[in-house]
């Protein structure tokens, strides 16, 4: 938590909007989650963001969960409205805004990963693309997610192991890495060989530290359009601010603050 860029990103937006609030990063163990959530009411905390590993386990501790978060099965934002805790998932909208909805419309999309981020992104993207394939190191999780999506929305889906990538990359127009592969300090790791990246593809990596992963570097070198996870981080943060305060935050300011905090973290680490 001490390495989170979210406090810098949020606090810059609150200051600019004249909001008398402060965003803090707090590490909560699995055993303390229930007590921590109860404490939100006692302390009259306006809201929280929730991160891995609590995004799923927090659901039964909330008074209400909005429909999209329910269908994703994960919450990353909680609003405390007069003692009633309501859960939302802004990762989905954050990813959609970062990618640009029109880039997915009618496209053949491949998502690498089947964890929390992949679930949120698959739900958001699934409503727009023509076909969605989930590839994961643990292929049974990919199968579970793909089947759930096609059952819920009738979407044409495929699934497989990350090792079977060759079979699925033909025809892929949008590639999304929703695994943690390539994240600091393992920055020379990449989830897919560069030979599968093509000029006409859009390649989006959810990893935001570093802002340009090896996957994005290789995609850019091959002429593909790239989208950084930093943009998703900023957009999901902006969506959380709208839920808590009902204001439009200054996204450009948040982007700059997040990037600055990331660069400072690199010097510390
Ligand atoms: P989870 O733990 O829920 O899922 C991790 C995923 O990565 C799983 O699919 C897992 O596969 C896969 N994975 C992990 N290690 C490897 C490996 N060595 N090789 C292949 N696959 C691997 O995490 P999240 O979904 O919450 O987060 C994933 C990434 O997304 C993180 O880097 C996180 O920081 C980032 N993220 C970014 C956000 C943003 O705003 N930009 C928002 C949320 C997350 P398996 O199922 O086989 O274990």
């Amino acid at each position: 938590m001490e390495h989170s860029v979210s406090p810098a990103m949020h606090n810059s937006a609150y200051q600019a909007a004249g909001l008398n609030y402060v965003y803090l990063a707090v590490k909560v163990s699995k055993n303390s989650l229930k007590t921590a959530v109860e404490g939100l009411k006692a302390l009259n905390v306006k809201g929280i963001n929730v991160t891995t590993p609590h995004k799923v386990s927090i659901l039964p501790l909330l008074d209400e969960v909005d429909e999209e978060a329910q269908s994703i099965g994960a919450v990353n934002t909680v609003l405390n409205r007069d003692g009633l805790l309501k859960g939302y998932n802004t990762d989905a909208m954050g990813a959609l805004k970062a990618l640009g909805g029109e880039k997915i419309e009618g496209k053949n999309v491949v998502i690498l990963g089947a964890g929390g981020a992949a679930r949120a992104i698959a739900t958001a993207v699934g409503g727009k693309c023509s076909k969605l394939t989930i590839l994961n190191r643990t292929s049974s999780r990919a199968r579970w997610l793909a089947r759930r999506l096609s059952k819920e929305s009738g979407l044409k889906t495929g699934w497989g192991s990350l090792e079977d990538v060759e079979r699925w990359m033909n025809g892929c127009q949008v590639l999304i890495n929703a695994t943690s592969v390539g994240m600091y300090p393992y920055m020379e790791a990449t989830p897919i060989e560069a030979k599968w990246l093509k000029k006409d593809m859009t390649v989006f990596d959810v990893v935001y530290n570093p802002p340009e992963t090896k996957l994005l570097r290789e995609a850019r070198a091959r002429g593909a359009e790239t989208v950084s996870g930093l943009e998703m981080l900023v957009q999901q943060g902006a969506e959380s601010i709208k839920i808590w305060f009902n204001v439009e935050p200054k996204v450009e300011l948040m982007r700059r603050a997040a990037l600055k905090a990331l660069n400072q973290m690199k010097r510390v680490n």
Side-chain angles (χ1 to χ4, degrees), residues 97-160:
K97 286 212 160 171
L99 256 170
E102 71 291 344
K103 287 198 194 118
I104 317 156
E105 207 80 56
K107 295 282 166 62
N108 183 339
V109 178
V110 173
I111 295 183
L112 311 177
R119 272 156 70 166
I121 295 170
T123 305
V125 166
K128 293 190 173 288
C129 64
S130 66
K131 184 180 177 200
L132 183 57
T133 302
I134 313 283
L135 304 178
N136 195 41
R137 178 176 60 179
T138 313
S139 60
S140 57
R141 294 184 81 194
R143 181 183 57 203
W144 176 85
L145 181 56
R147 287 192 173 163
R148 182 177 155 161
L149 287 164
S150 56
K151 199 172 153 197
E152 279 179 3
S153 62
L155 180 70
K156 194 172 161 197
T157 59
W159 61 271

